Amino acid sequence: MTELYENWPTAFEPPTRRIVDPPMPVLVDVSLTVAGAAGGSFRDGTPLKVRAEGLAMDIKVQGTLHAWAKTSRGQWICSLSYRIPTGNSMGFLQVDRQWCPADAAVPLR
């Protein structure tokens, strides 16, 4: 496999990891990508300026799936690249190849 898994030897089949080649377009649920991102609400007293310029964590955005890996507990995680926009959509944070729970990504149709 590529450099991504160069330090992860395997002895069993099927493999517990996979490169997605070519990378695949997906819909990313941003609230599932960052720990604790799903909490809070607009009614919690968050100032308007923070709502405007803070990252919008309660949305779904287009992204790219690069790889899969299975944890020792049997759960799949995925490597995603995507943009998290600000609340006012005037800016964004580029996230590249972040490992996220498998539920965070849904194939685009």
Side-chain angles (χ1 to χ4, degrees):
M1 285 218 163
T2 69
E3 294 176 12
L4 176 63
Y5 298 124
E6 69 183 23
N7 298 313
W8 184 356
T10 60
F12 302 106
E13 290 292 331
T16 54
R17 75 244 177 135
R18 184 168 75 89
I19 298 289
V20 178
D21 187 24
M24 186 170 108
V26 292
L27 189 62
V28 178
D29 185 339
V30 176
S31 69
L32 298 177
T33 63
V34 179
S41 71
F42 285 134
R43 295 185 202 131
D44 67 1
T46 304
L48 288 174
K49 65 181 180 180
V50 174
R51 292 184 208 176
E53 293 185 353
L55 296 173
M57 302 302 290
D58 58 346
I59 64 170
K60 294 179 181 175
V61 298
Q62 288 189 7
T64 305
L65 172 66
H66 300 282
W68 291 101
K70 200 167 215 178
T71 70
S72 62
R73 292 185 174 190
Q75 300 156 319
W76 284 98
I77 57 175
C78 55
S79 175
L80 302 173
S81 294
Y82 56 99
R83 290 180 175 184
I84 305 174
T86 57
N88 61 10
S89 298
M90 301 287 286
F92 62 89
L93 175 68
Q94 179 65 43
V95 179
D96 289 316
R97 297 179 187 261
Q98 176 175 329
W99 288 97
C100 304
D103 292 349
V106 175
L108 282 176
R109 296 186 176 128

